[in-house]
Amino acid sequence: MRHLLIVEELLSSGEMWRASTVSLRHEAAMMLLALAGDLACLPRTRVSVLLSAEALAGTVGDSLRVAGVELLLCVEGPEQWLRSPTVSPSQFTATLVIAPESSGLLVRRLQQLQSGVWSGLTSLNVSWQQAAEFSDKAATAVWLHAQGLRTPETLALTGAVAERLTVSLAAGRLDLCTGLLWDSAECRDLPGDSVLYVLKPRDGCGCGGVHLLCLSREQLAIVRLESKSVEAGVPDESFTWLLQPLLTGQHCSAALIGRGDEGVVVLPAGEQRIECEFGRFRYVGGSLPAGNEVQQSAVVQLRRLASSLGRFRGWLGVDFVCSEGGELQIVEINPRLCTSYAGYRRLAGTSLAGVMCGESAVGEGGIVWSTGRTDFRV
């Protein structure tokens, strides 16, 4: 009998629950219900989930019970529960963490579950070392350069420089495919010799804290003198922000499922739905699959990426931009389960949760996918 322990950070921490917005709680609940429910449907599988008192008493707890998931009360947060568990680690066979990269949260939780009394269990996440590298978006860019995989030029900035630049937020609504800014029904011209750049936290998650800047050539020249190029290596911890040129084209994501010695399953690319108004980005969901031209460009690079990663276990999300000419640049690698799981599971001809934990076999032809199309929102 397989027995999995799932730790979803927001729903297992009363402190995070109370500090979160309704939309974040909804997104966390959607992910947990989908994954835990899918795992609970597998043969010979028990699933236990840590929940705070707040989540346990609400609709999340009720829905998980209906799905056949066992609920464990987490009074003082997941870190303390894992130090002094109310259920012996020997009762479980595998663990899975759902947590954001921000502030090192994902890495700390994986370190707990991949060491000490928990180290003998199978972790269905990437290693904490891989999570640390890909949670640091500057280190990710350095790694991608070293593998010969295309990624945008990246400059690392201190907090003081980044704060100064936020006065240059781009006005209007951005069309990501063309890079044009719109004001109502009219296209806005960029002032003078200005260019559009994206400013984002080095340890960011999703579109949180990501800004679109309109910078003059003179501003950009000054920033280059004050910044560190990641091509020279991973900058020190004082450089907490990253600056990249805005990439125009189809903004997409894909996923890789690492299965240890059984290799890597490459999932098809999907389109991202990202809005940007008055310099602030917002991720609202996506649709699967992306068009054939994107798939053809993506599959070659994704296989190269999978080969460069070597043996690993867990879910990796890959954000990239495909230009009109089919040129692909990888923007980020997310070392965690992503919201696109909600869309993939609707189209897959087999249980993706089963693929992740080794229950569902994947033949040489890969996963069989439905010919339909699905949208998902957060």
Side-chain angles (χ1 to χ4, degrees):
M1 170 70 75
R2 183 186 293 110
H3 189 183
L4 286 85
L5 174 66
I6 301 178
V7 181
E8 203 293 330
E9 197 70 25
L10 188 152
L11 298 176
S12 60
S13 168
E15 182 180 358
M16 284 190 69
W17 173 278
R18 291 186 290 273
S20 64
T21 63
V22 173
S23 62
L24 282 177
R25 294 175 190 173
H26 172 76
E27 182 179 342
M30 177 191 73
M31 287 278 290
L32 180 60
L33 288 169
L35 179 63
D38 290 350
L39 287 167
C41 289
L42 297 174
R44 305 176 302 280
T45 302
R46 289 174 60 193
V47 181
S48 295
V49 170
L50 292 188
L51 284 186
S52 67
E54 292 86 346
L56 190 65
T59 57
V60 178
D62 293 339
S63 299
L64 287 169
R65 287 190 190 94
V66 170
V69 175
E70 300 172 19
L71 309 181
L72 300 174
L73 176 61
C74 188
V75 178
E76 299 181 60
E79 182 171 350
Q80 183 58 38
W81 193 95
L82 293 171
R83 285 178 181 168
S84 304
T86 57
V87 177
S88 170
S90 64
Q91 298 299 307
F92 302 101
T93 59
T95 62
L96 196 154
V97 173
I98 306 174
E101 304 97 308
S102 306
S103 303
L105 194 54
L106 174 65
V107 172
R108 290 200 305 274
R109 201 61 65 239
L110 291 179
Q111 284 176 323
Q112 272 195 290
L113 282 168
Q114 294 172 3
S115 63
V117 295
W118 298 97
S119 61
L121 308 184
T122 299
S123 173
L124 299 183
N125 293 89
V126 300
S127 70
W128 71 260
Q129 293 92 339
Q130 272 188 317
E133 183 165 44
F134 294 138
S135 295
D136 180 345
K137 307 309 179 188
T140 302
V142 171
W143 185 87
L144 288 168
H145 279 299
Q147 306 306 316
L149 294 162
R150 292 207 61 191
T151 191
E153 176 196 23
T154 303
L155 301 175
L157 316 177
T158 63
V161 173
E163 184 177 4
R164 191 185 74 223
L165 291 179
T166 57
V167 300
S168 300
L169 290 179
R173 175 176 53 83
L174 175 68
D175 182 330
L176 274 168
C177 288
T178 62
L180 297 176
L181 290 167
W182 293 81
D183 188 356
S184 298
E186 296 183 357
C187 182
R188 299 174 62 101
D189 292 326
L190 293 180
D193 60 353
S194 298
V195 287
L196 295 176
Y197 269 75
V198 176
L199 177 69
K200 62 185 182 182
R202 179 172 170 175
D203 66 346
C205 180
C207 287
V210 182
H211 304 294
L212 180 68
L213 306 180
C214 183
L215 302 177
S216 68
R217 301 286 180 183
E218 182 180 357
Q219 282 179 299
L220 191 56
I222 294 172
V223 168
R224 288 188 183 280
L225 295 175
E226 300 173 311
S227 63
K228 297 283 187 182
S229 170
V230 301
E231 290 189 25
V234 180
D236 66 53
E237 294 180 357
S238 65
F239 293 86
T240 54
W241 290 82
L242 302 179
L243 189 69
Q244 296 175 327
L246 175 70
L247 299 180
T248 58
Q250 184 65 59
H251 285 244
C252 300
S253 67
L256 308 177
I257 301 177
R259 300 180 298 151
D261 293 334
E262 296 183 34
V264 180
V265 178
V266 179
L267 275 57
E271 298 174 2
Q272 292 183 322
R273 296 283 181 263
I274 299 174
E275 297 175 352
C276 180
E277 292 191 73
F278 299 101
R280 289 177 171 81
F281 287 88
R282 186 166 74 96
Y283 175 71
V284 296
S287 61
L288 287 160
N292 289 335
E293 290 184 5
V294 171
Q295 300 295 350
Q296 291 170 7
S297 298
V299 70
V300 175
Q301 296 302 315
L302 291 171
R303 285 174 178 165
R304 281 189 61 196
L305 173 60
S307 177
S308 298
L309 288 164
R311 180 185 179 278
F312 76 98
R313 188 179 294 278
W315 184 287
L316 281 176
V318 184
D319 295 342
F320 62 91
V321 178
C322 190
S323 70
E324 189 175 345
E327 185 178 271
L328 186 145
Q329 293 197 58
I330 298 174
V331 179
E332 291 184 358
I333 299 175
N334 301 306
R336 55 177 168 80
L337 193 71
C338 302
T339 52
S340 56
Y341 176 82
Y344 281 118
R345 66 192 287 269
R346 296 176 197 157
L347 298 180
T350 189
S351 169
L352 294 182
V355 174
M356 291 171 64
C357 70
E359 174 65 30
S360 303
V362 179
E364 291 185 6
I367 295 172
V368 177
W369 298 93
S370 163
T371 56
R373 185 177 175 87
T374 187
D375 297 330
F376 58 94
R377 297 186 66 83
V378 297

